[in-house]
Amino acid sequence: MTPAAVVALCCIAIVAVASTVIGSFGVRFARNTSDFLVASRTVGPTANAGAISGEYLSAASFLGVAGLILKDGPDALWYPVGFTAGYLALLLFVSAPLRRSGAYTVPDFAEFRLRSPMVQRLCTIFVIVIGWMYLLPQLQGAGLTVATVVPTLPSWSGMVAAGVVVIATVVFGGMRSITFVQAFQFWLKFTALALPAVVLLIYVGHDHQPFNRPAPPQFPTDTMVEVKTDVMLEVTQPVTFQASGTLDGAQTYGLVTWNAGRHSVLAGAQLNFTAGTSVPVPDGHPIRDSSWLTPLSGDAQYQLFGIYSLIMATFLGTMGLPHVLVRFYTNPDGRATRQTTVVVLAMLGAFYLLPTLLGALSRLYVPQLLVSGNTDAAVLLLPTAALGGGTMATLLAGLVAAGAWAAFLSTSSGLVVGVAGVLSTSPSLFPRGGVRDFRVAAVIAGLVPLGLALVAARLDFSQTVSLAFAVAASTFCPLLVLGIWWSGLTDRGAVAGLLVGGVSSAGAVTLSLIGVAPNGWVGMMLNRPALITVPAAFLTMTVVSKLTRKRVLPDVARLLLRLHAPERLGLSQDRVRRFD
Amino acid sequence: MNADGPVPSGLIASDSADYAEPEDQPAPGRASHRRGDEATDPDADLLPDESPIQLRRELRRRAGSPPLPPPSAGPGTLPGVRPPGSGGRHARRDAQPRPPRLDYVPRHAIRTPGPGSVSPTDVTEVFSRVRQDPTERPMPARPHSDPIPLTQRVEPLAAPPPPLPEPESASDNGAPGKRVRVVLSQRKGQARPVRTVVDVQELTQVGEVLSSSLIRSQLALALRIGGIALITLGALPAMFVIFPVLGRFELFGLRLPWLLLGVLAYPFLLALGWMYSRSADRLEQVFADHIQN
């Protein structure tokens, strides 16, 4: 093990231990279930905003955004913009009314608004689906981080370690301590990207290659690339390199020259490039730096559809994420949730500047990731690649690894709390709904995705995450928005809309996750289903509700009033009171 | 609202009593009744009704005053017979202060004017209560809920009380047994909220109008801000396709798409969020103030 690897592993271990310790300290303050589940609703806007941002900035944000920018340029900027704008939609349409509904989770809200056990059960299923879909890339990210900083360790060890730490933190910590843990983790993540960004700007400054060159990126040093998944690469000018493995369908050992065109490389190949060689780029992504700099430069005409679909999924999906909603419940009132959300917008905006900068720089320093397809590792490798060896680079790399680890831990524990909260408050599974049941549910909520992560194939983190966003946007967004603002929503309408949106989006997502999606329009629609499934869900919900108008609750006006009237009028009630 | 110091204890007690009252009386027919009531006559609130009587009797009871006879029962009403639905039917109107409160005081004052009664037009409110007939049965010590004879209840509506001068005559010819309660503080400020809050809570027509206007204005605000965000950000990809030159345009050493999406989008979203949060808070503030004042 190299010294750099030791430093990075130590940093990871410190983060894991610190999280658990802060968690167990926090739990001493938790005196009852209300403390445990909702931190007794006493978390102020800034602390809660720190916790929400800390929880929200996952592997997809910490690692995935920079990786996608390395690959796609400004088109990838829609991911962080969408991840942030989702909070604006949440603020505008959901946050304060949902807090006032007193609902702990979306199923609770459904029961409050529609009094239909069927809708509640359906929502529970979708919360679990979305939560696990979102947990998958987090655990895989933990595996990737460990495997990147310590190449000798297999990636499953990272996944298992992350899974165990997360389950332990949730089971022993509960919500109150997690609030502290996550606020701490936000600042850790922020520092872990801000410090390398500042150091890189100081050390590298303008002293780097220009971005705007009409040529592919070049390897800055002699580079060995191990290809771990099958990939189709494209080059625009002849490239010569040493290779061993299956290239273009033939076993190859020794010097290879690729002419302009597309070439396939199978997993297990090893390619050695000398410094200055042009970097082969994965098929379908901008090849030349100059085209990488401009938006919508890829060769696909359906890119515009993809971008709008992504905007739809991220803008509207955030409000349906289980871990996000649970957090707002720890605020004392609706007004505080709005303030919290505004602070979250500021924190996310400040944070996302960093992966954008690092992603752009990684085009210059770690272009070999384009070849291996492992672009998610860009942030992890950038400090060492840009600064050379040295103590500074080693420490920075360790810090980044620690920040990445914080990202998985916080998001995963938030998701596990969210899913476990839904499981343990659903009366059919856990009739008692106490702390003990919550702990059992937390173990279940953590173990299942860990099993899935060990066997599932890996996509880019941001892509997997945006699939979860698409499902959330197609199911919970219509339910919440119509439920909060439209008195005409009926239980039948909700069920129909949830089924149409959920089945279509989850089906599309599953197809693209198992990799059977064809190229072209169909593939794009399966990969980015939101632009079709979200309006379909809204439409179904509205039309079926209109058809079943008689089922509108008689006291719907009062319910809506409770959602919108300020707390000082004393119309709201909190639901978790039964645990108090 | 019980926190106000100078309010006599009787007032406080009755106040809280009538505050809690609406929950005890979820009469199904009430909402529709009130709705029609207020739809036809916007000044319906200003019309006298029976409630001040009940309130004041309650006051006296709480203040520990000697038993009080039921108000001069109209002919044909049996004391102790509770008119249907009278219990809390309009009780929430207790909360509505009607500064002159002429409907009640003068009526008794006219019949048995007594010395010492004070004009209700004075700044301090004066209630007078007279036992006109010495043989009249005194009220039970602590009836749980006062029976109010139906005719009595209807009376003010049927025969509006004479205007101000009358109380003066009442004070001129006072009768023995007359008791006077002087209220030193203005109850206006604290009394009102109960009424409108309850209106809103119970979703009477007024409440429904108030709450739906709140919801509508909040939705309009959210849609406006969301529309700004969506149109501004949503126009960008299309603009980059339609005018490719935008994608190559440089500003501050950064390509325009990088500058817009990588940097400026975040302050933009933050500003929208901040604007919304402020405006939404203000809307709620206005709503709450409106129904509490």
Side-chain angles (χ1 to χ4, degrees):
Chain A
M1 227 188 268
T2 62
V6 174
V7 169
L9 264 194
C10 284
C11 291
I12 289 174
I14 289 171
V15 169
V17 171
S19 302
T20 324
V21 167
I22 297 178
S24 59
F25 269 116
V27 83
R28 293 188 188 176
F29 300 110
R31 290 188 195 83
N32 52 28
T33 317
S34 171
D35 263 354
F36 200 77
L37 287 186
V38 295
S40 292
R41 310 186 190 95
T42 51
V43 184
T46 313
N48 204 23
I52 290 177
S53 316
E55 187 170 61
Y56 187 63
L57 295 173
S58 63
S61 300
F62 196 91
L63 300 178
V65 166
L68 280 176
I69 289 174
L70 160 65
K71 218 189 302 191
D72 289 333
D75 292 344
L77 292 174
W78 284 108
Y79 283 93
V81 169
F83 291 155
T84 313
Y87 274 93
L88 184 67
L90 185 88
L91 168 68
L92 296 181
F93 297 107
V94 174
S95 66
L98 191 82
R99 173 65 191 86
R100 287 183 181 133
S101 77
Y104 182 47
T105 57
V106 178
D108 276 356
F109 173 80
E111 201 223 319
F112 164 84
R113 174 64 179 79
L114 299 165
R115 296 209 193 96
S116 155
M118 171 108 175
V119 181
Q120 193 188 11
R121 241 170 278 143
L122 208 55
C123 287
T124 306
I125 293 172
F126 280 119
V127 166
I128 295 169
V129 167
I130 294 168
W132 284 349
M133 204 185 277
Y134 211 109
L135 268 166
L136 205 63
Q138 310 307 325
L139 296 171
Q140 290 176 333
L144 171 82
T145 306
V146 168
T148 304
V149 297
V150 190
T152 47
L153 281 179
S155 66
W156 62 261
S157 61
M159 297 187 202
V160 171
V164 169
V165 172
V166 166
I167 293 174
T169 317
V170 175
V171 165
F172 300 117
M175 194 61 157
R176 178 134 192 179
S177 54
I178 279 182
T179 304
F180 296 131
V181 173
Q182 281 165 346
F184 155 75
Q185 280 168 340
F186 169 76
W187 293 108
L188 177 61
K189 278 182 261 193
F190 188 81
T191 317
L193 287 193
L195 217 55
V198 170
V199 170
L200 282 183
L201 280 184
I202 292 172
Y203 274 70
V204 179
H206 291 282
D207 177 30
H208 58 72
Q209 275 188 333
F211 281 108
N212 187 9
R213 299 177 317 129
Q218 293 171 330
F219 289 103
T221 53
D222 292 356
T223 310
M224 193 266 281
V225 180
E226 278 182 73
V227 177
K228 287 185 179 153
T229 48
D230 301 352
V231 64
M232 177 72 78
L233 297 171
E234 197 173 353
V235 292
T236 51
Q237 53 204 62
V239 176
T240 305
F241 55 92
Q242 293 279 344
S244 67
T246 313
L247 277 71
D248 286 332
Q251 279 289 330
T252 315
Y253 295 98
L255 213 59
V256 181
T257 302
W258 276 354
N259 290 318
R262 290 154 51 145
H263 304 272
S264 73
V265 181
L266 293 193
Q270 225 180 54
L271 318 175
N272 288 289
F273 298 91
T274 50
T277 317
S278 293
V279 177
V281 170
D283 187 28
H285 298 280
I287 301 171
R288 294 186 178 85
D289 277 350
S290 54
S291 63
W292 168 80
L293 265 183
T294 51
L296 297 152
S297 52
D299 50 0
Q301 312 89 2
Y302 43 74
Q303 265 187 326
L304 206 57
F305 174 90
I307 285 181
Y308 278 119
S309 199
L310 179 69
I311 289 176
M312 180 81 95
T314 49
F315 277 32
L316 300 178
T318 307
M319 65 178 75
L321 297 178
H323 56 309
V324 173
L325 290 187
V326 169
R327 282 246 55 105
F328 278 101
Y329 200 52
T330 56
N331 270 134
D333 59 20
R335 193 159 170 268
T337 63
R338 276 202 290 260
Q339 292 166 342
T340 301
T341 321
V342 174
V343 181
V344 168
L345 281 174
M347 286 177 162
L348 292 184
F351 178 86
Y352 280 126
L353 295 176
L354 303 170
T356 306
L357 177 70
L358 294 177
L361 285 177
S362 60
R363 181 88 178 180
L364 299 179
Y365 294 104
V366 285
Q368 71 272 18
L369 295 177
L370 289 171
V371 181
S372 65
N374 217 358
T375 47
D376 284 328
V379 171
L380 294 168
L381 297 177
L382 184 62
T384 329
L387 302 173
T391 322
M392 170 81 93
T394 308
L395 288 178
L396 282 182
L399 182 64
V400 174
W405 197 257
F408 322 131
L409 289 189
S410 59
T411 306
S412 310
S413 47
L415 285 163
V416 169
V417 166
V419 173
V422 168
L423 282 176
S424 69
T425 54
S426 80
S428 50
L429 291 173
F430 294 96
R432 280 181 31 244
V435 171
R436 198 193 148 97
D437 284 352
F438 178 81
R439 288 179 164 153
V440 176
V443 173
I444 299 172
L447 280 182
V448 174
L450 181 58
L452 287 177
L454 290 173
V455 296
R458 198 172 79 72
L459 263 77
D460 284 332
F461 297 147
S462 287
Q463 277 171 357
T464 322
V465 159
S466 64
L467 295 177
F469 272 86
V471 178
S474 316
T475 51
F476 292 149
C477 171
L479 179 71
L480 289 170
V481 170
L482 292 178
I484 287 172
W485 299 99
W486 185 45
S487 57
L489 182 70
T490 64
D491 51 349
R492 294 273 160 84
V495 168
L498 282 175
L499 284 178
V500 167
V503 170
S504 60
S505 59
V509 163
T510 313
L511 286 181
S512 55
L513 268 181
I514 56 178
V516 297
N519 283 328
W521 269 106
V522 179
M524 181 52 94
M525 276 192 256
L526 290 178
N527 209 9
R528 304 259 174 99
L531 199 58
I532 294 165
T533 56
V534 175
F538 264 106
L539 200 67
T540 315
M541 235 177 239
T542 319
V543 169
V544 176
S545 291
K546 291 233 176 211
L547 292 179
T548 55
R549 204 173 294 142
K550 282 185 186 148
R551 300 181 64 87
V552 173
L553 291 179
D555 58 342
V556 66
R558 191 163 308 166
L559 289 180
L560 286 193
L561 175 64
R562 261 178 64 181
L563 295 179
H564 294 280
E567 277 81 0
R568 65 164 148 137
L569 300 179
L571 305 180
S572 321
Q573 280 167 13
D574 280 322
R575 269 187 56 105
V576 177
R577 186 164 295 163
R578 61 187 165 118
F579 295 126
D580 289 353
Chain B
M1 73 177 161
N2 290 348
D4 289 49
V7 183
S9 60
L11 279 176
I12 293 172
S14 72
D15 221 308
S16 56
D18 84 52
Y19 188 68
E21 190 271 337
E23 283 189 7
D24 306 328
Q25 305 283 337
R30 174 163 39 173
S32 61
H33 164 81
R34 294 200 29 91
R35 210 165 286 169
D37 191 81
E38 263 149 18
T40 51
D41 185 357
D43 288 330
D45 289 349
L46 300 176
L47 287 178
D49 62 28
E50 80 290 347
S51 49
I53 300 170
Q54 202 185 16
L55 173 63
R56 259 153 243 156
R57 299 170 91 197
E58 179 71 14
L59 286 184
R60 266 172 211 103
R61 220 180 309 129
R62 301 282 173 125
S65 52
L68 192 68
S72 56
T77 30
L78 294 167
V81 173
R82 182 176 181 159
S86 81
R89 186 160 165 183
H90 289 272
R92 89 172 73 87
R93 294 191 172 199
D94 292 357
Q96 174 73 357
R98 294 168 192 79
R101 296 185 195 243
L102 302 178
D103 51 311
Y104 174 71
V105 176
R107 200 166 61 234
H108 298 284
I110 303 157
R111 289 183 191 167
T112 54
S117 47
V118 186
S119 159
T121 50
D122 287 355
V123 178
T124 45
E125 257 182 293
V126 175
F127 309 149
S128 56
R129 183 72 179 87
V130 179
R131 194 200 298 198
Q132 351 168 315
D133 180 2
T135 62
E136 198 176 339
R137 188 175 64 86
M139 261 178 55
R142 263 195 88 81
H144 186 67
S145 166
D146 283 7
I148 297 175
L150 186 58
T151 47
Q152 173 72 36
R153 198 165 58 79
V154 178
E155 195 181 62
L157 290 163
L164 296 184
E166 258 72 23
E168 297 296 352
S169 67
S171 54
D172 293 337
N173 330 301
K178 179 189 156 302
R179 305 183 62 239
V180 173
R181 178 163 298 273
V182 177
V183 178
L184 294 174
S185 72
Q186 292 283 349
R187 285 195 60 213
K188 247 188 206 174
Q190 344 140 15
R192 248 175 233 258
V194 181
R195 189 229 136 88
T196 338
V197 169
V198 172
D199 251 355
V200 167
Q201 236 165 3
E202 304 265 306
L203 283 175
T204 59
Q205 191 164 25
V206 172
E208 212 158 79
V209 167
L210 281 172
S211 72
S212 73
S213 83
L214 169 75
I215 294 174
R216 222 175 303 120
S217 55
Q218 292 278 36
L219 182 61
L221 174 67
L223 287 177
R224 208 157 47 230
I225 304 248
I228 295 174
L230 200 66
I231 290 171
T232 313
L233 290 176
L236 289 180
M239 296 293 274
F240 291 145
V241 170
I242 300 168
F243 307 107
V245 67
L246 282 180
R248 287 189 290 273
F249 189 73
E250 279 199 23
L251 206 66
F252 308 120
L254 277 177
R255 292 286 182 107
L256 197 60
W258 290 84
L259 182 67
L260 289 177
L261 293 177
V263 182
L264 295 182
Y266 304 111
F268 172 67
L269 291 171
L270 176 63
L272 286 181
W274 184 73
M275 263 169 55
Y276 170 77
S277 172
R278 239 179 33 143
S279 313
D281 280 352
R282 205 181 303 137
L283 281 178
E284 277 175 9
Q285 194 85 26
V286 168
F287 173 76
D289 286 348
H290 182 72
I291 71 168
Q292 285 189 331
N293 284 310

